Amino acid sequence: MAINAYAASAAKGRLEPFTYEPGPLGPNEVEIAVTHCGICHSDLSMLNNEWGMSQYPLVPGHEVIGTVAAKGAMVKDLPIGQRVGLGWQSGSCAHCEWCRSARQQLCAQEEDTIVHRHGGFADRVRATADFVLPIPDALPSAEAAPLLCAGNTVYSPMIRHNVNGNMRTAVVGIGGLGHIAVQFLAKTGCEVTAISSSHNKDEEARSLGASSFIATKGTDELKKAEGRFDYIISTVSASLPWNDYIAALRPQGVLVIVGAPDAEMQIGPFPMILKEKTVAGGRAGAPWDITRMLDFAARNNVKAIVEKYPFAKVNEAMERLHSGKARYRVVLEA
Ligand code: NAP
Ligand code: ZN
């Protein structure tokens, strides 16, 4: 049966109704009937071909919530009708060392939901069953959708870098990813500082769990935070004065970069050498990371703050993200 989606036919193009035939369902595949799809900044970057890997027609959408509509013969779990989610990754080889150690995001043959295949701005979307994950009952669908990419991307580095409640942490960029990162860190017991362009989001960041706030534009507040944080996560889609953030780390502190500006980083090695600091990249993690993240979110009441749009208003919804005014994640709802 044909899938009804929204696709752009060229870089920076409008999303228009687009129908495609998905072909026979593979034995390890699941077809999801989409009820909700969050809009990540990466959807916008892919639409605009900012990373040079987009293929058109491009159907964005990789923060999917829906129900299992069909499944291949080899899929033993995931009953028809089960509520499930799908994030950035939709497949992998399943037998390399990375897949076998629950680090499928590092598989050389990893397949991403909107790269060279069609994503969740559609009535249905397909993925390998391993990447289709049950959603805990405590999480409402619209508020859970952004957890599938934004939540996963900020939670996975916390696992990898052993973030714990003794740490002083900071989140740079209070957008879709950042507002969820503040919640995860605060609920872990960390001290959390929100670092944002201006003081506009101060009150809301504190209501999400931040105990202090730094505004960067036209202030010296960041410079005053020298040597303060064990862990900083940058979710900003633009280049930053990276050396100032490295200076804001305590000895052996870690700066994790998940926001994806398309620009070189100029960093001085000496502060890193002398105080044993680390600059690390982070990306949306494996299914096991997502499962643990969803469980943590359900038990600790971590939810995205969302603005809902019907699928038919997808271009307005994309424009809302582009404007930078969304508080904090735009979600399409069927
Ligand atoms: P978003 O909702 O647009 O939030 C980004 C935030 O960054 C904005 O709210 C703003 O926060 C800040 N910002 C934006 N432009 C800025 C500028 N020029 N200077 C300083 N701050 C700026 O985007 P998102 O969906 O959270 O995604 C954030 C980034 O993460 C994107 O680059 C996206 O592609 C990337 N991403 C990466 C992964 C991964 O696997 N590594 C996964 C998902 C997304 P303030 O208002 O607080 O300043
Ligand atoms: Zn994303």
Side-chain angles (χ1 to χ4, degrees):
M1 198 167 61
I3 290 181
N4 301 305
Y6 289 91
S9 54
K12 302 184 180 172
R14 268 180 73 81
L15 292 160
E16 304 288 353
F18 166 71
T19 299
Y20 68 94
E21 280 296 340
L25 191 65
N28 293 308
E29 277 190 313
V30 171
E31 187 167 287
I32 303 169
V34 180
T35 60
H36 297 81
C37 192
I39 308 183
C40 176
H41 205 102
S42 303
D43 289 313
L44 192 60
S45 296
M46 283 293 293
L47 187 70
N48 295 340
N49 198 20
E50 281 168 27
W51 302 324
M53 61 183 189
S54 304
Q55 203 172 53
Y56 301 88
L58 181 117
V59 179
H62 60 275
E63 289 185 345
V64 175
I65 301 275
T67 55
V68 175
K71 61 180 190 168
M74 299 299 287
V75 182
K76 301 297 176 216
D77 56 349
L78 301 174
I80 302 295
Q82 157 104 51
R83 191 169 66 127
V84 290
L86 169 68
W88 175 259
Q89 193 174 358
S90 54
S92 71
C93 83
H95 54 256
C96 70
E97 67 173 298
W98 308 104
C99 289
R100 285 183 183 276
S101 57
R103 293 176 289 176
Q104 289 94 330
Q105 79 275 17
L106 305 175
C107 170
Q109 292 172 50
E110 60 129 356
E111 179 189 83
D112 300 325
T113 304
I114 62 168
V115 182
H116 300 170
R117 61 192 301 293
H118 296 319
F121 287 11
D123 59 358
R124 282 168 294 129
V125 64
R126 289 181 176 182
T128 305
D130 289 350
F131 296 84
V132 177
L133 302 160
I135 303 298
D137 290 344
L139 298 173
S141 294
E143 288 76 8
L147 297 177
L148 272 300
C149 178
N152 178 23
T153 302
V154 298
Y155 192 76
S156 295
M158 290 174 59
I159 300 176
R160 198 142 40 256
H161 297 286
N162 299 312
V163 171
N164 62 66
N166 287 324
M167 289 183 167
R168 291 174 169 74
T169 67
V171 178
V172 193
I174 309 303
L177 270 61
H179 90 286
I180 299 174
V182 169
Q183 296 180 64
F184 277 134
L185 290 164
K187 296 274 164 82
T188 299
C190 303
E191 180 195 275
V192 187
T193 297
I195 305 184
S196 188
S197 313
S198 74
H199 273 284
N200 272 343
K201 297 173 179 171
D202 193 325
E203 205 173 306
E204 276 174 319
R206 287 178 198 273
S207 74
L208 295 171
S211 57
S212 47
F213 194 96
I214 288 175
T216 51
K217 280 218 176 110
T219 79
D220 61 354
E221 293 176 32
L222 179 59
K223 293 244 194 258
K224 285 187 182 151
E226 191 174 325
R228 184 160 152 195
F229 304 112
D230 299 294
Y231 178 88
I232 302 176
I233 181 165
S234 168
T235 71
V236 173
S237 50
S239 262
L240 295 176
W242 299 114
N243 290 312
D244 292 350
Y245 287 92
I246 292 169
L249 289 173
R250 279 158 52 84
Q252 294 192 336
V254 184
L255 168 63
V256 175
I257 298 176
V258 298
D262 181 21
E264 301 268 309
M265 288 177 79
Q266 301 283 343
I267 54 177
F270 264 92
M272 293 168 59
I273 293 169
L274 296 176
K275 297 293 178 192
E276 298 184 350
K277 297 177 179 180
T278 302
V279 176
R283 58 174 296 177
W288 175 226
D289 289 357
I290 301 181
T291 299
R292 284 183 284 177
M293 178 272 301
L294 289 171
D295 177 59
F296 184 99
R299 284 186 292 105
N300 292 284
N301 196 28
V302 173
K303 288 177 190 149
I305 300 174
V306 301
E307 296 180 0
K308 296 181 203 173
Y309 283 73
F311 271 88
K313 293 200 170 161
V314 65
N315 288 298
E316 284 170 49
M318 289 296 278
E319 183 46 42
R320 181 74 179 157
L321 166 70
H322 186 227
S323 74
K325 291 183 184 147
R327 297 285 187 281
Y328 282 89
R329 189 54 124 201
V330 177
V331 173
L332 298 168
E333 189 171 50

